Amino acid sequence: MMAARPRGGDATRCPACRAPILRQLVGERAALNVTADLTPLTPDQQTALREPNRLIWCLRTNRFGNRRLTWLDPWHPPDCPHGGIHVADHRCPPADPTTLF
Ligand SMILES: [Zn+2]
Ligand SMILES: [Zn+2]
């Protein structure tokens, strides 16, 4: 994924941990303000990360290069059939006082 460059201006960095994230309103009626990681998850990782308070999203790129987060329906296979990637809600890694700064 080295050639992938963010387009559409919706990719940003977490102000707290500087991880690349995507902020987007998801849903039509009750839109949810989502902050998602941009790291593609393997099916195993999706199973491991999924919990009631942490959702997995399907991130698809349309032909204009715009990225869009969509709900992952329960029947949506962990291996994306739409050519997208599956990402999790962003969580800052725990602060590590030994991190070099
Ligand atoms: Zn998908
Ligand atoms: Zn963060």
PDB file of all heavy atoms in Angstrom, residues 62-76:
ATOM      1  N   ASN A  62     -14.127   4.715  -3.699  1.00  0.00           N
ATOM      2  CA  ASN A  62     -14.842   4.698  -4.969  1.00  0.00           C
ATOM      3  C   ASN A  62     -13.911   5.100  -6.103  1.00  0.00           C
ATOM      4  O   ASN A  62     -12.741   5.400  -5.894  1.00  0.00           O
ATOM      5  CB  ASN A  62     -16.113   5.567  -4.908  1.00  0.00           C
ATOM      6  CG  ASN A  62     -15.789   7.051  -4.822  1.00  0.00           C
ATOM      7  OD1 ASN A  62     -14.652   7.477  -5.011  1.00  0.00           O
ATOM      8  ND2 ASN A  62     -16.796   7.845  -4.522  1.00  0.00           N
ATOM      9  N   ARG A  63     -14.450   5.147  -7.322  1.00  0.00           N
ATOM     10  CA  ARG A  63     -13.556   5.386  -8.452  1.00  0.00           C
ATOM     11  C   ARG A  63     -13.041   6.808  -8.508  1.00  0.00           C
ATOM     12  O   ARG A  63     -12.169   7.132  -9.299  1.00  0.00           O
ATOM     13  CB  ARG A  63     -14.247   4.992  -9.763  1.00  0.00           C
ATOM     14  CG  ARG A  63     -15.528   5.729 -10.037  1.00  0.00           C
ATOM     15  CD  ARG A  63     -16.420   4.932 -10.976  1.00  0.00           C
ATOM     16  NE  ARG A  63     -17.749   5.522 -11.057  1.00  0.00           N
ATOM     17  CZ  ARG A  63     -18.082   6.403 -11.980  1.00  0.00           C
ATOM     18  NH1 ARG A  63     -17.221   6.771 -12.889  1.00  0.00           N
ATOM     19  NH2 ARG A  63     -19.301   6.903 -11.991  1.00  0.00           N
ATOM     20  N   PHE A  64     -13.578   7.690  -7.680  1.00  0.00           N
ATOM     21  CA  PHE A  64     -13.051   9.055  -7.615  1.00  0.00           C
ATOM     22  C   PHE A  64     -11.974   9.190  -6.537  1.00  0.00           C
ATOM     23  O   PHE A  64     -11.476  10.279  -6.301  1.00  0.00           O
ATOM     24  CB  PHE A  64     -14.179  10.054  -7.339  1.00  0.00           C
ATOM     25  CG  PHE A  64     -15.299   9.967  -8.315  1.00  0.00           C
ATOM     26  CD1 PHE A  64     -16.526   9.461  -7.934  1.00  0.00           C
ATOM     27  CD2 PHE A  64     -15.117  10.368  -9.631  1.00  0.00           C
ATOM     28  CE1 PHE A  64     -17.564   9.364  -8.842  1.00  0.00           C
ATOM     29  CE2 PHE A  64     -16.155  10.282 -10.551  1.00  0.00           C
ATOM     30  CZ  PHE A  64     -17.383   9.774 -10.154  1.00  0.00           C
ATOM     31  N   GLY A  65     -11.694   8.097  -5.862  1.00  0.00           N
ATOM     32  CA  GLY A  65     -10.671   8.144  -4.829  1.00  0.00           C
ATOM     33  C   GLY A  65     -11.198   8.598  -3.484  1.00  0.00           C
ATOM     34  O   GLY A  65     -10.424   8.851  -2.571  1.00  0.00           O
ATOM     35  N   ASN A  66     -12.517   8.725  -3.354  1.00  0.00           N
ATOM     36  CA  ASN A  66     -13.083   9.110  -2.057  1.00  0.00           C
ATOM     37  C   ASN A  66     -13.276   7.872  -1.205  1.00  0.00           C
ATOM     38  O   ASN A  66     -13.795   6.858  -1.678  1.00  0.00           O
ATOM     39  CB  ASN A  66     -14.430   9.812  -2.245  1.00  0.00           C
ATOM     40  CG  ASN A  66     -14.267  11.129  -2.962  1.00  0.00           C
ATOM     41  OD1 ASN A  66     -13.350  11.896  -2.689  1.00  0.00           O
ATOM     42  ND2 ASN A  66     -15.159  11.400  -3.898  1.00  0.00           N
ATOM     43  N   ARG A  67     -12.888   8.007   0.045  1.00  0.00           N
ATOM     44  CA  ARG A  67     -13.034   6.862   0.942  1.00  0.00           C
ATOM     45  C   ARG A  67     -14.283   7.028   1.773  1.00  0.00           C
ATOM     46  O   ARG A  67     -14.594   8.109   2.249  1.00  0.00           O
ATOM     47  CB  ARG A  67     -11.802   6.765   1.830  1.00  0.00           C
ATOM     48  CG  ARG A  67     -10.604   6.346   1.021  1.00  0.00           C
ATOM     49  CD  ARG A  67      -9.466   5.997   1.886  1.00  0.00           C
ATOM     50  NE  ARG A  67      -8.752   7.199   2.271  1.00  0.00           N
ATOM     51  CZ  ARG A  67      -7.551   7.158   2.829  1.00  0.00           C
ATOM     52  NH1 ARG A  67      -6.984   6.013   3.059  1.00  0.00           N
ATOM     53  NH2 ARG A  67      -6.945   8.261   3.165  1.00  0.00           N
ATOM     54  N   ARG A  68     -14.972   5.947   1.954  1.00  0.00           N
ATOM     55  CA  ARG A  68     -16.221   6.000   2.688  1.00  0.00           C
ATOM     56  C   ARG A  68     -16.307   4.825   3.652  1.00  0.00           C
ATOM     57  O   ARG A  68     -16.090   3.676   3.270  1.00  0.00           O
ATOM     58  CB  ARG A  68     -17.402   5.956   1.722  1.00  0.00           C
ATOM     59  CG  ARG A  68     -18.674   6.521   2.322  1.00  0.00           C
ATOM     60  CD  ARG A  68     -19.644   6.868   1.210  1.00  0.00           C
ATOM     61  NE  ARG A  68     -20.240   5.641   0.665  1.00  0.00           N
ATOM     62  CZ  ARG A  68     -21.327   5.083   1.173  1.00  0.00           C
ATOM     63  NH1 ARG A  68     -21.939   5.621   2.194  1.00  0.00           N
ATOM     64  NH2 ARG A  68     -21.822   3.995   0.637  1.00  0.00           N
ATOM     65  N   LEU A  69     -16.632   5.145   4.889  1.00  0.00           N
ATOM     66  CA  LEU A  69     -16.830   4.100   5.887  1.00  0.00           C
ATOM     67  C   LEU A  69     -18.275   3.637   5.821  1.00  0.00           C
ATOM     68  O   LEU A  69     -19.185   4.448   5.732  1.00  0.00           O
ATOM     69  CB  LEU A  69     -16.564   4.655   7.283  1.00  0.00           C
ATOM     70  CG  LEU A  69     -15.118   5.007   7.647  1.00  0.00           C
ATOM     71  CD1 LEU A  69     -15.099   5.868   8.895  1.00  0.00           C
ATOM     72  CD2 LEU A  69     -14.312   3.753   7.856  1.00  0.00           C
ATOM     73  N   THR A  70     -18.474   2.345   5.892  1.00  0.00           N
ATOM     74  CA  THR A  70     -19.833   1.822   5.932  1.00  0.00           C
ATOM     75  C   THR A  70     -19.944   0.801   7.054  1.00  0.00           C
ATOM     76  O   THR A  70     -18.958   0.179   7.451  1.00  0.00           O
ATOM     77  CB  THR A  70     -20.226   1.150   4.601  1.00  0.00           C
ATOM     78  OG1 THR A  70     -19.152   0.331   4.172  1.00  0.00           O
ATOM     79  CG2 THR A  70     -20.512   2.177   3.526  1.00  0.00           C
ATOM     80  N   TRP A  71     -21.175   0.668   7.534  1.00  0.00           N
ATOM     81  CA  TRP A  71     -21.438  -0.330   8.577  1.00  0.00           C
ATOM     82  C   TRP A  71     -21.027  -1.703   8.081  1.00  0.00           C
ATOM     83  O   TRP A  71     -21.224  -2.038   6.923  1.00  0.00           O
ATOM     84  CB  TRP A  71     -22.932  -0.393   8.883  1.00  0.00           C
ATOM     85  CG  TRP A  71     -23.478   0.807   9.560  1.00  0.00           C
ATOM     86  CD1 TRP A  71     -24.198   1.800   8.958  1.00  0.00           C
ATOM     87  CD2 TRP A  71     -23.383   1.143  10.942  1.00  0.00           C
ATOM     88  NE1 TRP A  71     -24.548   2.730   9.901  1.00  0.00           N
ATOM     89  CE2 TRP A  71     -24.070   2.355  11.121  1.00  0.00           C
ATOM     90  CE3 TRP A  71     -22.779   0.517  12.047  1.00  0.00           C
ATOM     91  CZ2 TRP A  71     -24.173   2.973  12.360  1.00  0.00           C
ATOM     92  CZ3 TRP A  71     -22.881   1.130  13.277  1.00  0.00           C
ATOM     93  CH2 TRP A  71     -23.570   2.342  13.430  1.00  0.00           C
ATOM     94  N   LEU A  72     -20.519  -2.477   8.991  1.00  0.00           N
ATOM     95  CA  LEU A  72     -20.219  -3.861   8.678  1.00  0.00           C
ATOM     96  C   LEU A  72     -21.417  -4.686   9.137  1.00  0.00           C
ATOM     97  O   LEU A  72     -21.619  -4.886  10.327  1.00  0.00           O
ATOM     98  CB  LEU A  72     -18.952  -4.278   9.432  1.00  0.00           C
ATOM     99  CG  LEU A  72     -18.152  -5.394   8.801  1.00  0.00           C
ATOM    100  CD1 LEU A  72     -17.529  -4.934   7.502  1.00  0.00           C
ATOM    101  CD2 LEU A  72     -17.059  -5.839   9.753  1.00  0.00           C
ATOM    102  N   ASP A  73     -22.221  -5.091   8.192  1.00  0.00           N
ATOM    103  CA  ASP A  73     -23.385  -5.900   8.545  1.00  0.00           C
ATOM    104  C   ASP A  73     -22.922  -7.250   9.080  1.00  0.00           C
ATOM    105  O   ASP A  73     -21.844  -7.713   8.735  1.00  0.00           O
ATOM    106  CB  ASP A  73     -24.262  -6.123   7.317  1.00  0.00           C
ATOM    107  CG  ASP A  73     -24.823  -4.810   6.802  1.00  0.00           C
ATOM    108  OD1 ASP A  73     -25.291  -4.014   7.626  1.00  0.00           O
ATOM    109  OD2 ASP A  73     -24.773  -4.586   5.591  1.00  0.00           O
ATOM    110  N   PRO A  74     -23.762  -7.882   9.907  1.00  0.00           N
ATOM    111  CA  PRO A  74     -23.334  -9.158  10.499  1.00  0.00           C
ATOM    112  C   PRO A  74     -23.016 -10.224   9.457  1.00  0.00           C
ATOM    113  O   PRO A  74     -22.228 -11.128   9.724  1.00  0.00           O
ATOM    114  CB  PRO A  74     -24.544  -9.581  11.347  1.00  0.00           C
ATOM    115  CG  PRO A  74     -25.312  -8.338  11.590  1.00  0.00           C
ATOM    116  CD  PRO A  74     -25.050  -7.429  10.421  1.00  0.00           C
ATOM    117  N   TRP A  75     -23.620 -10.094   8.296  1.00  0.00           N
ATOM    118  CA  TRP A  75     -23.376 -11.109   7.258  1.00  0.00           C
ATOM    119  C   TRP A  75     -22.234 -10.719   6.329  1.00  0.00           C
ATOM    120  O   TRP A  75     -21.932 -11.404   5.371  1.00  0.00           O
ATOM    121  CB  TRP A  75     -24.659 -11.353   6.454  1.00  0.00           C
ATOM    122  CG  TRP A  75     -25.223 -10.086   5.885  1.00  0.00           C
ATOM    123  CD1 TRP A  75     -24.904  -9.497   4.701  1.00  0.00           C
ATOM    124  CD2 TRP A  75     -26.237  -9.253   6.483  1.00  0.00           C
ATOM    125  NE1 TRP A  75     -25.624  -8.346   4.546  1.00  0.00           N
ATOM    126  CE2 TRP A  75     -26.450  -8.173   5.609  1.00  0.00           C
ATOM    127  CE3 TRP A  75     -26.962  -9.340   7.690  1.00  0.00           C
ATOM    128  CZ2 TRP A  75     -27.369  -7.153   5.900  1.00  0.00           C
ATOM    129  CZ3 TRP A  75     -27.869  -8.330   7.966  1.00  0.00           C
ATOM    130  CH2 TRP A  75     -28.071  -7.251   7.079  1.00  0.00           C
ATOM    131  N   HIS A  76     -21.635  -9.605   6.580  1.00  0.00           N
ATOM    132  CA  HIS A  76     -20.532  -9.160   5.728  1.00  0.00           C
ATOM    133  C   HIS A  76     -19.293  -9.988   6.053  1.00  0.00           C
ATOM    134  O   HIS A  76     -18.846 -10.001   7.192  1.00  0.00           O
ATOM    135  CB  HIS A  76     -20.285  -7.679   6.012  1.00  0.00           C
ATOM    136  CG  HIS A  76     -19.348  -7.022   5.061  1.00  0.00           C
ATOM    137  ND1 HIS A  76     -19.775  -6.222   4.034  1.00  0.00           N
ATOM    138  CD2 HIS A  76     -18.007  -7.043   4.982  1.00  0.00           C
ATOM    139  CE1 HIS A  76     -18.727  -5.770   3.369  1.00  0.00           C
ATOM    140  NE2 HIS A  76     -17.637  -6.257   3.919  1.00  0.00           N
TER     141      HIS A  76
END
